[in-house]
């Protein structure tokens, strides 16, 4: 007997889109069968306008709990994730207090998350000045890799790695096979740039493409020297695509992500003073956006994840110099990426690859990210042709601040299942806390 069987005219599998049945037993996908196959168990019949896709894996989320729970928190973040089709997220090590830079801080964060998560949650560790000896213990405790900044992070408790400390960190991580994920902007370039004011153009000038390009080039060379595995976070500068492709051809172990806001918005359309669009690195021009889409199509960019970095409305007040830099988008990411992808001729299978399969691979989450036998039955019923307009006050994010407010998108999540159990965000949370390497 199967516990549950999904029957759909469209299922996005690793082999492409097909009609069929997905049979679930004990929280795992037992089989993917032809649509007319005899099945036993409770049947969920999808409507003609619905597609079954795997739950998204978002490897770039700032939950901010404990310490800054008024910005977000595990309960609200994971509810928003589930409503947006995300069944697994990996939490960043900063903006919470304490930051996840040692095993004690990881234990504190896990305790804060316990019993509050509607989806499965894992954790990145942090690499900061002076914690080289903490990296192996954090790895052994189950973090999925390590994040560092190459310039000021925006919070004093998570300082950047100075140039002299990056190479020792890379060599240390190479010794036990961990990946360093990097916020790559050059500190001196940003320090020497003009300060931003109310105009969005002034903010772009304060975080120039050159700062991103230089930091990425600098990182790639050190990865080449050490043999380390590195990941470039939230790529916004399309200028960097040729050198990333070149480094990969040379055998450098580098992966790359971008985010829905870089694929959706354009600098030319950001109103002056609209600090809900502020993020670092910044949203750049429309021509740059189209080149990022080309980078995805060419395979230079591997994954699309949210970089959900919310805050209170008060912290978004002021100008582009003083307001908090971060975009809240966890619940709308799938619809935003699909809306842009379909307009450019990409398939839903492409979007699933970028937002589910590739992020699962990045984090080593072998049971996630695809509809295939043996994987977790993390499944989403998605209506790809249904239009809607984002209302920030109706999202499950803790604070109603997002540049997507009022944005017309296409694609609605009608139901999300975690390990074969439909998620009800008004009920008891059933998400698990994940550890690297654990089944």
């Amino acid at each position: 007997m199967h516990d549950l069987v999904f029957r759909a005219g469209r299922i996005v599998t690793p082999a492409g889109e097909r009609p069929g049945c997905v049979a679930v037993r004990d929280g795992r996908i037992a089989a993917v069968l032809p649509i007319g196959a005899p099945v036993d168990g409770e049947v969920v019949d999808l409507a003609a306008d619905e597609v079954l896709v795997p739950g998204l894996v978002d490897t770039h989320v700032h939950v901010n709990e404990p310490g800054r729970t008024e910005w977000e928190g595990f309960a609200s973040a994971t509810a928003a994730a589930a409503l947006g089709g995300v069944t697994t997220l990996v939490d960043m090590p900063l903006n919470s207090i304490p930051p996840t830079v040692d095993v004690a801080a990881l234990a504190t964060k896990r305790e804060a998350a316990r019993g509050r998560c509607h989806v499965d949650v894992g954790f990145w560790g942090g690499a900061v000045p002076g914690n080289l000896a903490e990296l192996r213990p954090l790895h052994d405790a189950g973090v999925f890799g390590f994040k560092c900044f190459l310039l000021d992070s925006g919070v004093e408790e998570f300082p950047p790695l100075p140039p002299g400390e990056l190479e020792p960190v890379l060599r240390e991580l190479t010794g036990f096979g961990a990946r360093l994920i990097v916020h790559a902007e050059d500190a001196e370039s940003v320090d020497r740039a003009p300060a931003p004011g109310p105009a969005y153009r002034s903010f772009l000038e304060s975080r120039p493409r050159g700062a991103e390009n230089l930091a990425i080039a600098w990182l790639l060379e050190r990865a080449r020297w050490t043999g380390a595995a590195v990941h470039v976070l939230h790529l916004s500068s399309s200028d960097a695509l040729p050198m990333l492709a070149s480094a990969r051809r040379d055998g450098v172990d580098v992966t790359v992500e971008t985010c829905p806001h870089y694929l959706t918005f354009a600098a030319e359309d950001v109103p002056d003073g609209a600090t809900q669009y502020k993020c670092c690195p910044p949203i750049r021009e429309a021509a740059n956006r189209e080149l990022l889409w080309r980078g995805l199509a060419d395979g230079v960019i591997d994954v699309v994840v949210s970089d959900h970095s919310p805050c209170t409305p008060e912290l978004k007040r002021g100008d582009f110099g003083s307001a908090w830099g971060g975009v809240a988008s966890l619940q709308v990411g799938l619809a935003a990426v699909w809306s842009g992808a379909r307009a450019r001729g990409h398939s839903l299978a492409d979007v699933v690859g970028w937002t589910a399969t590739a992020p699962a691979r990045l984090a080593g989450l072998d049971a996630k990210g695809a509809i295939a036998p043996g994987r977790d039955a993390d499944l989403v019923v998605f209506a790809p042709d249904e239009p809607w307009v984002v209302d920030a006050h109706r999202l499950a994010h803790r604070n109603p601040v997002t540049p997507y407010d009022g944005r017309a998108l296409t694609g609605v999540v009608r139901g999300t299942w975690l390990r074969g159990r439909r998620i009800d965000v008004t009920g008891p949370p059933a998400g698990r806390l994940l550890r690297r390497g654990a089944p």
Side-chain angles (χ1 to χ4, degrees):
M1 287 287 295
H2 297 116
D3 302 320
L4 200 60
V5 177
F6 292 82
R7 186 161 50 205
R10 298 174 64 188
I11 302 171
V12 177
T13 75
E17 193 175 297
R18 55 181 277 195
C21 294
V22 176
V24 177
R25 186 186 302 119
D26 297 329
R28 296 260 178 154
I29 296 171
V32 181
L33 305 166
I35 195 166
V39 292
D40 48 18
E42 180 186 348
V43 176
V44 177
D45 279 307
L46 272 66
D49 67 336
E50 295 175 338
V51 184
L52 191 68
V53 301
L56 272 58
V57 178
D58 193 335
T59 53
H60 196 150
V61 179
H62 294 271
V63 176
N64 307 323
E65 186 177 5
R68 292 189 174 97
T69 311
E70 69 276 13
W71 293 16
E72 194 62 275
F74 287 102
S76 56
T78 59
L83 293 168
V86 176
T87 52
T88 304
L89 63 84
V90 188
D91 175 60
M92 283 291 164
L94 72 157
N95 298 350
S96 56
I97 302 174
T100 316
V101 295
D102 56 39
V103 172
L106 176 62
T108 298
K109 183 168 280 192
R110 281 188 170 137
E111 188 56 37
R114 200 174 312 279
R116 294 179 173 88
C117 298
H118 293 282
V119 303
D120 288 352
V121 174
F123 303 95
W124 296 107
V128 296
N131 84 325
L132 189 67
E134 303 292 343
L135 302 182
R136 183 59 188 259
L138 275 167
H139 176 80
D140 292 344
V143 300
F144 286 87
F146 296 88
K147 179 177 186 178
C148 75
F149 276 73
L150 301 183
L151 80 172
D152 179 44
S153 72
V155 292
E156 62 182 3
E157 68 273 4
F158 199 93
L161 279 180
E165 292 194 34
L166 179 64
E167 191 170 337
V169 166
L170 289 172
R171 293 193 183 279
E172 175 73 7
L173 298 187
T174 302
F176 48 86
R179 186 175 296 271
L180 187 68
I181 66 173
V182 183
H183 183 124
E185 289 180 281
D186 178 65
E188 185 175 3
S189 298
V190 172
D191 288 344
R192 289 175 176 266
Y200 189 72
R201 174 54 56 183
S202 73
F203 179 57
L204 269 186
E205 292 168 353
S206 77
R207 312 289 290 220
R209 292 168 183 253
E212 202 173 352
N213 303 336
L214 181 60
I216 291 170
W218 193 78
L219 173 67
L220 290 174
E221 289 311 298
R222 279 145 187 83
R224 192 191 309 272
W225 302 342
T226 60
V230 297
H231 177 71
V232 175
L233 295 165
H234 45 51
L235 181 70
S236 85
S237 173
S238 62
D239 295 349
L241 291 170
M243 68 172 135
L244 288 162
S246 175
R248 191 173 288 163
R249 285 194 299 269
D250 290 346
V252 176
D253 188 349
V254 57
T255 51
V256 185
E257 72 181 47
T258 194
C259 305
H261 42 278
Y262 299 127
L263 299 171
T264 301
F265 302 113
E268 296 92 333
D269 302 325
V270 177
D272 291 346
T275 55
Q276 66 270 31
Y277 291 86
K278 180 183 176 180
C279 55
C280 300
I283 294 162
R284 303 194 189 277
E285 299 84 358
N288 179 86
R289 177 188 63 198
E290 298 311 311
L291 289 171
L292 293 177
W293 278 106
R294 174 52 55 189
L296 277 167
D298 292 344
V300 182
I301 300 172
D302 305 272
V303 302
V304 182
V305 286
S306 68
D307 190 9
H308 178 68
S309 186
C311 66
T312 62
E314 291 75 21
L315 289 173
K316 275 293 190 183
R317 293 179 184 146
D319 63 21
F320 284 104
S322 59
W324 173 256
V327 167
S329 62
L330 186 53
Q331 191 171 333
V332 303
L334 172 57
V337 177
W338 168 236
S339 296
R342 75 197 306 246
R344 292 166 176 83
H346 295 290
S347 68
L348 193 52
D350 292 332
V351 172
V352 165
W354 301 327
T355 61
T357 310
R361 186 184 307 120
L362 169 69
L365 289 162
D366 296 336
K368 305 292 188 182
I371 297 178
R375 303 272 184 140
D376 285 352
D378 297 349
L379 302 166
V380 174
V381 173
F382 185 60
D385 299 322
E386 183 176 341
W388 62 293
V389 176
V390 179
D391 180 347
H393 291 273
R394 300 186 68 180
L395 300 176
H397 304 164
R398 184 171 294 257
N399 293 291
V401 181
T402 176
Y404 290 94
D405 189 33
R407 182 86 179 186
L409 299 175
T410 303
V412 171
V413 173
R414 293 184 179 166
T416 305
W417 281 256
L418 180 67
R419 292 185 304 279
R421 177 176 174 180
R422 186 164 187 168
I423 299 175
D424 175 4
V425 298
T426 67
R432 296 177 182 173
L433 303 185
L434 304 175
R435 295 172 183 261
R436 179 199 48 79

